[in-house]
């Protein structure tokens, strides 16, 4: 029931994305309603509402980006990436999302306003044991830093404890 749909599956596109593990998506979009829910799809490559390759959509004033990966599942919802406050007005916004094996970058209106979500081991580790109720990530400048600090803490702190303990044992303490 979309405004524009393909008559047949986008097989060539999905095969190319699978082969290169990267793609870019650009759209100039505006909203008439800041109360959209769903998320209301702006651009999506999906089989049905529960199985998607990617979706760029609107939820209230936020931009939602879902991407199917082993980390995020078939619906791309865990975690769902949220760029807050994009649709607070009815002006057109140029949105460019680039995806590769290591990150999703979402640019809003120009290259200086970028939001990044890392698709790296520390992100995967974080989402294996997420905080209660956390199935969305609000992207901001601190998001990547927080993931790196949590990952480093989970890896570095136990390693330091082991090294200190081994030193204590060696010295008979």
């Amino acid at each position: 029931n979309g405004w524009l749909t393909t008559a047949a599956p986008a097989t060539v596109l999905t095969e190319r994305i699978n082969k290169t593990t990267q793609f870019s998506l650009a759209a100039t979009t505006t909203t008439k309603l800041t109360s959209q829910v769903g998320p209301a799809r702006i651009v999506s490559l999906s089989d049905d509402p529960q199985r998607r390759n990617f979706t760029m959509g609107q939820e209230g004033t936020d931009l939602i980006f879902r991407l199917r990966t082993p980390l995020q599942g078939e619906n791309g919802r865990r975690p769902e990436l949220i760029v807050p406050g994009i649709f607070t007005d009815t002006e057109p916004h140029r949105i460019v999302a680039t995806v590769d094996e290591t990150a999703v970058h979402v640019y809003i209106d120009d290259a200086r306003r970028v939001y990044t979500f890392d698709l790296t081991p520390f992100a995967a580790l974080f989402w294996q044991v997420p905080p209660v109720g956390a199935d969305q990530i609000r992207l901001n400048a601190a998001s990547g830093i927080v993931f790196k600090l949590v990952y480093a803490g989970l890896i570095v702190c136990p390693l330091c404890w082991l090294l200190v303990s081994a030193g204590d044992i060696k010295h008979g303490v």
Side-chain angles (χ1 to χ4, degrees):
N1 295 333
W3 170 76
L4 177 66
T5 60
T6 60
T11 306
V12 173
L13 176 61
T14 55
E15 287 173 355
R16 182 81 181 252
I17 291 171
N18 282 333
K19 183 177 180 180
T20 63
T21 63
Q22 58 188 358
F23 69 94
S24 294
L25 171 66
T28 300
T29 185
T30 188
T31 187
K32 289 185 180 180
L33 298 171
T34 59
S35 59
Q36 298 274 1
V37 295
R41 294 174 187 215
I42 298 167
V43 179
S44 186
L45 179 60
S46 55
D47 191 32
D48 59 45
Q50 300 305 313
R51 292 183 9 232
R52 73 192 71 240
N53 291 314
F54 62 82
T55 293
M56 178 188 296
Q58 177 190 349
E59 181 90 35
T61 61
D62 300 334
L63 175 73
I64 306 296
F65 193 81
R66 291 184 181 177
L67 177 68
R68 180 184 3 180
T69 67
L71 168 66
Q72 293 166 290
E74 277 196 346
N75 197 18
R77 182 157 167 76
R78 186 144 179 97
E80 175 178 79
L81 310 178
I82 301 171
V83 182
I86 303 306
F87 300 106
T88 57
D89 57 40
T90 57
E91 296 300 315
H93 293 282
R94 178 78 171 158
I95 302 167
V96 177
T98 62
V99 178
D100 62 34
E101 294 175 318
T102 62
V104 175
H105 305 281
V106 180
Y107 300 87
I108 308 298
D109 296 323
D110 66 47
R112 293 172 293 177
R113 190 172 173 196
V114 61
Y115 300 83
T116 299
F117 177 73
D118 291 323
L119 301 174
T120 55
F122 56 81
L125 178 64
F126 182 79
W127 284 106
Q128 293 307 309
V129 187
V132 174
D135 60 353
Q136 299 176 320
I137 297 176
R138 292 198 168 277
L139 296 179
N140 58 42
S143 298
I145 295 168
V146 170
F147 286 132
K148 289 174 184 170
L149 288 173
V150 169
Y151 183 72
L154 291 172
I155 299 300
V156 173
C157 290
L159 183 60
C160 289
W161 180 81
L162 285 172
L163 290 172
V164 168
S165 296
D168 289 345
I169 292 170
K170 182 178 177 183
H171 292 21
V173 177

